Amino acid sequence: AQSVTQLGSHVSVSEGALVLLRCNYSSSVPPYLFWYVQYPNQGLQLLLKYTSAATLVKGINGFEAEFKKSETSFHLTKPSAHMSDAAEYFCAVSDGNTGKLIFGQGTTLQVKP
Amino acid sequence: SAVISQKPSRDICQRGTSLTIQCQVDSQVTMMFWYRQQPGQSLTLIATANQGSEATYESGFVIDKFPISRPNLTFSTLTVSNMSPEDSSIYLCSVGEVSPWYGYTFGSGTRLTVV
Protein backbone atom coordinates (compact mmCIF):
# COMPACT_ATOMS: atom_id res chain seq x y z
CA ALA A 1 0.00 0.00 0.00
CA GLN A 2 1.07 3.54 -0.66
CA SER A 3 1.86 5.88 2.20
CA VAL A 4 3.22 9.34 2.82
CA THR A 5 5.15 10.76 5.76
CA GLN A 6 5.50 14.47 6.30
CA LEU A 7 8.38 15.28 8.59
CA GLY A 8 7.47 18.07 10.98
CA SER A 9 3.89 18.82 11.83
CA HIS A 10 4.75 22.47 12.35
CA VAL A 11 7.33 24.60 10.53
CA SER A 12 8.03 28.22 11.38
CA VAL A 13 10.03 30.57 9.14
CA SER A 14 10.65 34.29 8.95
CA GLU A 15 9.23 36.29 6.11
CA GLY A 16 11.72 36.21 3.23
CA ALA A 17 13.36 32.99 4.40
CA LEU A 18 13.49 29.67 2.58
CA VAL A 19 10.53 27.37 3.00
CA LEU A 20 11.26 23.65 3.09
CA LEU A 21 8.48 21.16 3.79
CA ARG A 22 9.51 17.53 3.80
CA CYS A 23 7.63 14.60 2.32
CA ASN A 24 8.71 10.99 1.97
CA TYR A 25 6.64 8.36 0.26
CA SER A 26 6.38 4.63 0.16
CA SER A 27 5.33 2.98 -3.03
CA SER A 28 5.84 -0.30 -4.81
CA VAL A 29 5.04 1.27 -8.17
CA PRO A 30 6.04 4.57 -9.75
CA PRO A 31 3.95 7.08 -7.85
CA TYR A 32 2.07 10.19 -8.69
CA LEU A 33 2.82 12.79 -6.02
CA PHE A 34 0.99 15.94 -5.07
CA TRP A 35 1.22 18.93 -2.78
CA TYR A 36 -1.96 20.67 -1.65
CA VAL A 37 -2.46 23.79 0.43
CA GLN A 38 -5.39 24.53 2.70
CA TYR A 39 -5.92 28.01 4.05
CA PRO A 40 -7.95 28.41 7.26
CA ASN A 41 -11.59 27.48 6.73
CA GLN A 42 -11.06 26.97 3.02
CA GLY A 43 -10.92 24.03 0.65
CA LEU A 44 -7.93 22.22 -0.81
CA GLN A 45 -5.90 23.87 -3.54
CA LEU A 46 -3.44 21.99 -5.71
CA LEU A 47 0.05 23.49 -5.56
CA LEU A 48 1.81 21.08 -7.89
CA LYS A 49 1.99 17.48 -9.01
CA TYR A 50 4.55 14.99 -10.23
CA THR A 51 3.37 12.58 -12.90
CA SER A 52 6.63 10.96 -14.05
CA ALA A 53 7.69 13.73 -16.38
CA ALA A 54 10.29 16.27 -15.19
CA THR A 55 11.61 15.55 -11.71
CA LEU A 56 11.63 19.24 -10.78
CA VAL A 57 8.08 20.43 -10.71
CA LYS A 58 7.07 24.06 -10.54
CA GLY A 59 3.77 25.02 -9.05
CA ILE A 60 1.71 28.04 -8.18
CA ASN A 61 2.71 30.88 -5.86
CA GLY A 62 6.44 30.28 -6.39
CA PHE A 63 6.51 26.78 -4.94
CA GLU A 64 8.43 23.90 -6.45
CA ALA A 65 9.22 20.31 -5.54
CA GLU A 66 11.81 17.81 -6.65
CA PHE A 67 11.11 14.13 -7.04
CA LYS A 68 14.08 12.07 -5.82
CA LYS A 69 13.51 8.39 -6.38
CA SER A 70 16.70 7.33 -4.59
CA GLU A 71 15.55 9.14 -1.47
CA THR A 72 11.81 8.45 -1.96
CA SER A 73 11.27 12.12 -1.31
CA PHE A 74 9.19 14.94 -2.75
CA HIS A 75 10.08 17.98 -0.66
CA LEU A 76 8.34 21.30 -1.23
CA THR A 77 10.36 24.51 -1.36
CA LYS A 78 9.92 28.21 -1.87
CA PRO A 79 12.91 30.57 -1.95
CA SER A 80 11.29 33.40 -0.03
CA ALA A 81 8.35 33.04 2.33
CA HIS A 82 5.50 35.50 2.32
CA MET A 83 3.05 36.12 5.10
CA SER A 84 0.28 34.86 2.83
CA ASP A 85 1.95 31.43 2.67
CA ALA A 86 0.85 30.64 6.22
CA ALA A 87 -1.43 27.62 5.82
CA GLU A 88 -1.65 23.85 6.14
CA TYR A 89 0.25 21.86 3.53
CA PHE A 90 -0.49 18.28 2.57
CA CYS A 91 1.63 15.86 0.57
CA ALA A 92 -0.26 13.05 -1.12
CA VAL A 93 0.53 9.96 -3.17
CA SER A 94 -1.64 8.26 -5.72
CA ASP A 95 -2.07 4.51 -5.80
CA GLY A 96 -1.40 3.61 -9.41
CA ASN A 97 -3.55 0.48 -9.20
CA THR A 98 -6.72 1.75 -7.56
CA GLY A 99 -6.32 5.48 -8.16
CA LYS A 100 -6.74 6.23 -4.47
CA LEU A 101 -5.09 9.40 -3.20
CA ILE A 102 -3.48 9.00 0.22
CA PHE A 103 -2.56 12.04 2.29
CA GLY A 104 0.22 12.69 4.72
CA GLN A 105 -0.44 14.09 8.16
CA GLY A 106 0.00 17.68 7.08
CA THR A 107 2.45 20.45 8.00
CA THR A 108 1.39 23.79 9.39
CA LEU A 109 3.52 26.59 8.02
CA GLN A 110 3.84 29.67 10.19
CA VAL A 111 5.46 32.79 8.71
CA LYS A 112 6.78 35.33 11.19
CA PRO A 113 7.19 39.01 10.29
CA SER B 1 -10.89 19.55 -15.21
CA ALA B 2 -14.16 18.55 -13.57
CA VAL B 3 -16.23 20.89 -11.47
CA ILE B 4 -17.81 19.46 -8.32
CA SER B 5 -20.89 20.71 -6.55
CA GLN B 6 -21.23 19.39 -3.02
CA LYS B 7 -24.30 19.90 -0.85
CA PRO B 8 -24.96 20.89 1.85
CA SER B 9 -21.99 23.10 2.59
CA ARG B 10 -22.59 22.84 6.31
CA ASP B 11 -25.12 21.43 8.73
CA ILE B 12 -25.74 21.07 12.44
CA CYS B 13 -27.41 17.78 13.32
CA GLN B 14 -28.76 16.09 16.40
CA ARG B 15 -27.02 12.95 17.61
CA GLY B 16 -28.70 9.75 16.48
CA THR B 17 -29.88 11.23 13.19
CA SER B 18 -28.46 10.76 9.67
CA LEU B 19 -27.27 13.20 7.05
CA THR B 20 -26.90 12.59 3.33
CA ILE B 21 -24.29 14.57 1.42
CA GLN B 22 -24.55 14.95 -2.32
CA CYS B 23 -21.73 15.23 -4.84
CA GLN B 24 -22.55 16.28 -8.41
CA VAL B 25 -19.86 16.42 -11.11
CA ASP B 26 -20.25 18.34 -14.35
CA SER B 27 -18.75 15.52 -16.45
CA GLN B 28 -18.52 11.76 -16.39
CA VAL B 29 -15.66 10.56 -14.23
CA THR B 30 -14.35 7.11 -13.51
CA MET B 31 -12.95 7.60 -10.04
CA MET B 32 -14.92 9.13 -7.19
CA PHE B 33 -13.91 9.16 -3.56
CA TRP B 34 -15.15 10.32 -0.17
CA TYR B 35 -12.86 11.73 2.50
CA ARG B 36 -13.21 12.83 6.10
CA GLN B 37 -11.19 15.63 7.67
CA GLN B 38 -11.53 15.73 11.42
CA PRO B 39 -10.77 19.02 13.18
CA GLY B 40 -7.09 19.88 12.89
CA GLN B 41 -6.33 16.65 11.05
CA SER B 42 -5.43 15.50 7.58
CA LEU B 43 -7.76 13.93 5.05
CA THR B 44 -8.66 10.28 5.56
CA LEU B 45 -10.10 8.25 2.74
CA ILE B 46 -13.45 6.74 3.66
CA ALA B 47 -14.24 4.84 0.49
CA THR B 48 -14.14 4.63 -3.26
CA ALA B 49 -17.57 5.10 -4.77
CA ASN B 50 -18.08 2.54 -7.52
CA GLN B 51 -20.66 3.14 -10.21
CA GLY B 52 -23.38 0.52 -10.11
CA SER B 53 -21.85 -1.54 -7.32
CA GLU B 54 -21.02 -1.42 -3.63
CA ALA B 55 -18.44 1.08 -2.52
CA THR B 56 -14.96 -0.07 -1.48
CA TYR B 57 -14.34 0.95 2.14
CA GLU B 58 -11.04 1.67 3.82
CA SER B 59 -10.04 0.07 7.07
CA GLY B 60 -12.01 1.53 9.93
CA PHE B 61 -15.03 2.52 7.86
CA VAL B 62 -18.11 0.37 7.38
CA ILE B 63 -21.09 0.49 5.11
CA ASP B 64 -23.63 0.56 7.92
CA LYS B 65 -22.16 3.79 9.23
CA PHE B 66 -21.27 5.42 5.91
CA PRO B 67 -23.53 4.06 3.15
CA ILE B 68 -22.54 5.36 -0.27
CA SER B 69 -24.47 5.37 -3.50
CA ARG B 70 -23.23 6.04 -7.00
CA PRO B 71 -26.02 5.54 -9.51
CA ASN B 72 -24.10 7.01 -12.47
CA LEU B 73 -20.77 8.51 -13.49
CA THR B 74 -21.62 12.06 -12.38
CA PHE B 75 -23.33 11.68 -8.99
CA SER B 76 -22.71 10.14 -5.59
CA THR B 77 -24.06 10.42 -2.07
CA LEU B 78 -22.50 9.73 1.31
CA THR B 79 -24.74 9.20 4.34
CA VAL B 80 -23.43 9.61 7.84
CA SER B 81 -25.71 7.40 9.93
CA ASN B 82 -26.64 7.40 13.60
CA MET B 83 -24.41 10.39 14.20
CA SER B 84 -22.47 11.14 17.35
CA PRO B 85 -20.38 14.20 18.21
CA GLU B 86 -17.30 12.25 17.09
CA ASP B 87 -18.65 12.44 13.53
CA SER B 88 -18.23 16.21 13.53
CA SER B 89 -15.86 16.72 10.60
CA ILE B 90 -15.56 18.06 7.10
CA TYR B 91 -16.59 15.51 4.50
CA LEU B 92 -15.20 15.93 0.99
CA CYS B 93 -16.01 14.42 -2.33
CA SER B 94 -13.17 13.98 -4.83
CA VAL B 95 -12.88 12.81 -8.41
CA GLY B 96 -9.88 11.52 -10.25
CA GLU B 97 -9.39 12.00 -13.96
CA VAL B 98 -6.83 9.85 -15.67
CA SER B 99 -7.64 10.14 -19.32
CA PRO B 100 -6.21 12.63 -19.95
CA TRP B 101 -4.38 12.97 -16.68
CA TYR B 102 -5.78 15.94 -14.81
CA GLY B 103 -5.28 14.63 -11.35
CA TYR B 104 -7.77 15.02 -8.58
CA THR B 105 -10.43 17.62 -7.95
CA PHE B 106 -12.08 18.19 -4.58
CA GLY B 107 -15.46 19.52 -3.67
CA SER B 108 -15.68 22.42 -1.27
CA GLY B 109 -16.68 20.08 1.53
CA THR B 110 -19.54 19.65 3.97
CA ARG B 111 -18.84 20.94 7.46
CA LEU B 112 -20.85 18.75 9.82
CA THR B 113 -21.41 19.51 13.48
CA VAL B 114 -23.20 16.95 15.63
CA VAL B 115 -24.72 18.19 18.87
Side-chain angles (χ1 to χ4, degrees):
Chain A
Q2 315 269 62
S3 67
V4 168
T5 301
Q6 292 184 239
L7 301 176
S9 60
H10 190 100
V11 171
S12 181
V13 301
S14 298
E15 190 173 20
L18 171 72
V19 175
L20 171 61
L21 304 182
R22 301 178 185 273
C23 172
N24 287 89
Y25 69 90
S26 172
S27 174
S28 58
V29 298
Y32 293 153
L33 293 158
F34 305 80
W35 275 99
Y36 289 87
V37 61
Q38 187 176 42
Y39 298 100
N41 297 313
Q42 294 191 25
L44 282 173
Q45 182 179 9
L46 178 66
L47 278 176
L48 49 79
K49 61 187 177 187
Y50 167 76
T51 58
S52 74
T55 56
L56 181 62
V57 181
K58 294 187 183 297
I60 62 172
N61 301 338
F63 284 94
E64 64 181 36
E66 185 172 9
F67 172 70
K68 292 187 176 180
K69 183 178 179 180
S70 61
E71 300 178 6
T72 61
S73 68
F74 190 58
H75 301 332
L76 182 70
T77 61
K78 181 174 181 178
S80 176
H82 192 273
M83 295 297 292
S84 61
D85 294 326
E88 189 77 14
Y89 291 80
F90 297 100
C91 183
V93 61
S94 174
D95 183 321
N97 294 321
T98 65
K100 295 188 295 186
L101 187 64
I102 306 301
F103 284 81
Q105 306 92 316
T107 298
T108 303
L109 176 64
Q110 179 187 25
V111 182
K112 299 176 292 185
Chain B
S1 60
V3 176
I4 298 175
S5 173
Q6 189 173 334
K7 296 179 181 180
S9 59
R10 59 179 63 232
D11 207 340
I12 301 174
C13 300
Q14 296 293 322
R15 66 177 66 200
T17 64
S18 298
L19 175 71
T20 296
I21 302 167
Q22 298 182 358
C23 178
Q24 178 72 56
V25 190
D26 70 342
S27 59
Q28 293 186 340
V29 292
T30 303
M31 297 185 291
M32 190 176 273
F33 308 95
W34 287 98
Y35 287 85
R36 179 177 72 182
Q37 186 176 26
Q38 295 176 297
Q41 302 295 314
S42 182
L43 282 78
T44 302
L45 180 63
I46 297 172
T48 301
N50 301 310
Q51 191 265 328
S53 64
E54 189 172 290
T56 305
Y57 290 85
E58 298 298 305
S59 176
F61 297 96
V62 295
I63 187 171
D64 290 345
K65 177 66 175 178
F66 297 102
I68 289 171
S69 78
R70 189 174 176 193
N72 55 53
L73 292 177
T74 63
F75 185 77
S76 178
T77 66
L78 168 74
T79 299
V80 186
S81 303
N82 188 25
M83 289 184 285
S84 67
E86 292 71 34
D87 294 320
S88 298
S89 298
I90 298 174
Y91 294 86
L92 298 103
C93 170
S94 174
V95 300
E97 299 170 88
V98 296
S99 181
W101 176 253
Y102 287 126
Y104 298 85
T105 304
F106 286 83
S108 54
T110 296
R111 185 178 296 271
L112 171 62
T113 302
V114 184
V115 297

